[in-house]
Structure formats: structure tokens, C-alpha cells
Amino acid sequence: MSSRNSCGGHSYEEDCNDGVGSMDPATHSDLQADGSLTSTRPARGAVLLLCGLPAAGKSTLGATLLKEGATQLRFHLPFESPRKLRIIYISFDLVLVRLQEQRETASFDPQLWHESREAILTAVRSHFEVTGRGDDGTRLGLLELASTSEAESVNERESEGAARDGYDVVVLDDNMHYRSMRRAYYRLARDLQLAFVTLCLPIDLQEALRRNAQRDAPQRVPASTIEHMHKVLQWPDEQHHPWERGACTVDNGQINWAFLARSLPYAVAAASQADVAASKADAAAATAASKQHALDLRLRQITAVHLQSECAQQLPPPLRASLAKQLSMRKKQIFADAKRQQHRAAVAACGVGNHEGNYVDNDADADSAVDELDAAFAATLSKLAREENTPS
């Protein structure tokens, strides 16, 4: 595991093969989002994110953390070891599958996808809030979603001298390809006095596609999804986003336990005034980006429904291919127009804009975009039908 992040357009110069890296306890978690430093504060637990493409090895790394992490991290912690250290591992994919089973559906549902992510965020927050009060009343909310392992002192003298009773490390296995996804957990760590670490697993696109093709069909991700994610993946970038300084790259699945343990003693610093002032704009941008993503999924879903409809399937193969091409092009244009329209509206209303132009935050506008795609399908289908019936 290296602190050099070669995949994010920047690097951490320290070599951590000897357990010494950029995540020095004296400077790691006390870095504010605006770049300023404050006094450190001991962490009550930790949130550890896995970030990378499908088939990059995140689940394998998660299994290693589950099998060895509790013992290894407890041994290597630079502060006096807690009596018990627990790894709580959550796979976002498995939580989504669980919700699909509860709703008795096997097809992808954007609303269910958002619901599963919100359930995990809420469960993590509730878990640490309850832990802080010393009350186990609602911990099951998180533990029901997770796999766990723990290491506990068996030495009475060691247990009596432990600085704290327990320390939970919550490992979140997801692609975490958008910065907004990671920032939600950074803020949670900041608010609840937790350590925050992102482990990046870079992989060549072709290698990811090769590994994915070897998976069993139920676990296989569409190649187009991996290719798109490769284009949009936002690796941690401490130069432009100082709060992401607690990130490092895992090379070939090898974990340097001593180095990772050094990131756990100190929590993310309490919010500075600058951080609080920026949070409203960041929250608005995150909401807009989320709804933009939801609209994109909705348009894709509508496109698939139209192309699989009986009237479309009755077209001869050449015309059916033409319909798919034209509808796809129209979908992209509608989506781009919706983004531009909402960006202009946001600038006009607030005097500010998101530099990525990620504004689709009005349900009426989303509905209008879907209506436009429906109309485009009807018009294109009618045109192709006339071509089919026109004598050559």
C-alpha cells in the first residue's frame, strides 16, 4: 500500500512501505477543508472507504480486512490499544440486492438504488451516534447490513490498561467514483469525531473489463457501465480538495497494516467557519448532481422500455437499429439541454454556479425531459413506419 496516488493527477511523495507515510498523526486528520490546521482530537472510531472501478479488487480487499484487519490494526495502533477492535464491512451491492429481494424485483430501479445508499449512510450515522451515548439500542440498524470481525484482549492486565473499551472501523465497499459520495462520509466523520480514510484501487480499464467478463453472470457489470465510470471517476485530489488528504493507494491488494493504523488515532477536525460557510453550496451541488444522475438513469430506463416495446420489436432489424440510434442521440441531447437550462436557472437565482454545470434539481424539469423523450420516440417510430410502408 502506497501513499503515492498516481491515479488522481497528484502524488504523495512519502514512501510508506516502512509504515511511514503522508498520514502522519500530527497532521493527518487535523486538516480543515479550507486547508487550515486545528488541534487534533482523538477519534471515537473510523470510516474507511474503498474507491475504484468494478473488478478492481475491492471485495477481495474487504475480505482481507474482515479476516485480518481487527487483529492487525489493533496490534499496530500507535495509541494504547482498545480492549476490542471491530471491523464492520458493508457491501453496497449486497445491500441493494437485499432491498430488491424485499421488494420482489430483480430489475434495476434508480429509486431503490438511491434508497439503499441513503439507508447505509443513515445506519452508519446512527451507529456512531448511539455508540457515543454508550447505548446499544439501535446498533442493529448497521450490523444487520454488515459482516463483522473483531479482535479482543485476552490479557487481563492489557485490558485494564486499555485507553478505551472498543473501537469500530466501518469499511464501505462501493465504487465511490464521485467526490460527492465520499464527501458525505467525510462530513459524517467530522460531525461525529471519527477518523476518515479512503483506500484507492486503481486498475487499467482493459484489465477491469477482462476480470469482469470472467465473473459469473449475476455478478457481471455491463461493459458500458465500467467504461463510463472510468471516464467520470474522480480520484481523491488533496491539492484541490484538502479534506481528501486521508487517501492512499493500495497496490496489488497488499495492505501495509502499520501505515493504515497510523491514520486511525485522530478524528477529522471540527468544522471551521469557512467549512460551514461552504457547506450550503456543496450540499446544493451534491443534491443537483444526485438528481442529474437520477434523471440520466430515468432517461436510460425509458429508452430501454421504448426499444423493447412491441411496436418497436415489430420493425425490421435495419429500422429497429435506426430507431435505437436516433433515440439514443435524442436522449443525449435532451439530457444536455436539461443540464444547461438548470445551470442557467441556478446562476440567475443564486448568482453562483457549479463549475461542472451539474444542475438538474427540479422534478418538473425532469418530468418535462422524460415527456420530450417520449414524444421523440413516438415521432421517430412514426417516421420509420412511414419509411417501411413507402414503396422503394
Side-chain angles (χ1 to χ4, degrees):
M1 183 167 72
S2 171
S3 60
R4 179 180 295 274
N5 191 332
S6 59
C7 52
H10 68 289
S11 64
Y12 302 116
E13 295 301 331
E14 296 86 354
D15 179 3
C16 63
N17 290 329
D18 58 356
V20 179
S22 66
M23 294 195 287
D24 192 318
T27 59
H28 162 49
S29 293
D30 54 344
L31 189 66
Q32 295 281 15
D34 61 359
S36 62
L37 293 172
T38 64
S39 59
T40 57
R41 51 182 185 159
R44 298 170 42 244
V47 174
L48 197 160
L49 309 183
L50 306 186
C51 174
L53 294 176
K58 299 184 298 299
S59 296
T60 300
L61 184 66
T64 300
L65 287 164
L66 260 179
K67 181 180 180 181
E68 305 176 33
T71 301
Q72 290 282 0
L73 291 175
R74 187 176 182 278
F75 176 79
H76 286 100
L77 282 174
F79 56 75
E80 194 169 7
S81 295
R83 183 180 63 81
K84 179 168 61 178
L85 188 146
R86 177 166 54 175
I87 300 293
I88 301 175
Y89 169 81
I90 297 179
S91 166
F92 279 57
D93 288 342
L94 292 181
V95 172
L96 177 58
V97 169
R98 181 175 174 178
L99 284 178
Q100 289 175 324
E101 291 174 349
Q102 291 176 353
R103 307 292 171 82
E104 298 182 346
T105 177
S107 59
F108 180 77
D109 181 346
Q111 182 61 36
L112 205 58
W113 181 84
H114 284 285
E115 187 176 330
S116 68
R117 302 184 71 83
E118 186 61 32
I120 294 170
L121 180 62
T122 300
V124 174
R125 177 176 291 279
S126 297
H127 174 78
F128 282 111
E129 285 177 341
V130 170
T131 301
R133 295 195 300 270
D135 172 11
D136 288 344
T138 62
R139 284 192 188 184
L140 287 178
L142 178 68
L143 300 183
E144 285 178 347
L145 303 176
S147 300
T148 64
S149 64
E150 59 186 50
E152 187 169 2
S153 171
V154 295
N155 184 306
E156 182 177 349
R157 178 176 299 177
E158 180 185 355
S159 180
E160 290 176 352
R164 62 193 82 189
D165 184 60
Y167 189 98
D168 286 347
V169 179
V170 175
V171 179
L172 300 176
D173 179 356
D174 184 49
N175 304 118
M176 293 289 173
H177 50 293
Y178 289 122
R179 186 164 289 108
S180 60
M181 296 174 173
R182 301 190 296 271
R183 178 126 197 181
Y185 287 97
Y186 161 77
R187 285 179 173 147
L188 183 151
R190 180 194 65 194
D191 295 344
L192 298 180
Q193 197 172 330
L194 308 172
F196 175 76
V197 183
T198 301
L199 298 184
C200 302
L201 289 82
I203 185 173
D204 177 75
L205 173 60
Q206 295 306 316
E207 176 62 14
L209 292 171
R210 185 189 68 80
R211 292 185 187 179
N212 180 65
Q214 294 177 342
R215 289 173 161 176
D216 294 336
Q219 284 75 45
R220 202 173 298 147
V221 178
S224 59
T225 298
I226 298 178
E227 291 168 351
H228 173 72
M229 194 176 295
H230 179 262
K231 292 180 181 178
V232 303
L233 200 157
Q234 299 169 332
W235 292 106
D237 180 359
E238 67 163 314
Q239 181 177 354
H240 297 98
H241 305 277
W243 61 271
E244 293 198 288
R245 190 169 189 261
C248 57
T249 298
V250 177
D251 298 319
N252 301 317
Q254 300 300 310
I255 302 175
N256 186 315
W257 298 108
F259 176 72
L260 180 57
R262 292 190 65 200
S263 68
L264 301 182
Y266 295 98
V268 171
S272 67
Q273 290 184 348
D275 203 14
V276 172
S279 64
K280 290 184 179 180
D282 288 339
T287 299
S290 176
K291 291 197 173 184
Q292 173 195 334
H293 181 63
L295 175 59
D296 186 33
L297 292 175
R298 189 175 172 187
L299 292 176
R300 289 173 182 267
Q301 190 176 48
I302 293 296
T303 300
V305 168
H306 283 320
L307 293 178
Q308 293 168 9
S309 65
E310 183 178 354
C311 54
Q313 293 299 314
Q314 289 177 349
L315 291 173
L319 292 182
R320 196 160 62 239
S322 178
L323 174 64
K325 181 178 180 180
Q326 293 184 54
L327 196 59
S328 176
M329 293 174 59
R330 189 66 185 128
K331 176 186 71 67
K332 291 179 181 179
Q333 184 60 49
I334 291 171
F335 184 60
D337 289 345
K339 286 175 62 178
R340 283 192 292 269
Q341 180 180 349
Q342 290 303 313
H343 178 63
R344 287 194 296 268
V347 171
C350 306
V352 295
N354 183 304
H355 69 281
E356 295 175 346
N358 292 334
Y359 287 99
V360 177
D361 56 358
N362 185 292
D363 291 338
D365 290 326
D367 292 340
S368 177
V370 172
D371 288 343
E372 187 175 351
L373 184 59
D374 286 338
F377 168 75
T380 305
L381 185 66
S382 177
K383 176 184 175 184
L384 293 174
R386 288 195 304 270
E387 292 179 6
E388 180 184 14
N389 294 326
T390 299
S392 56

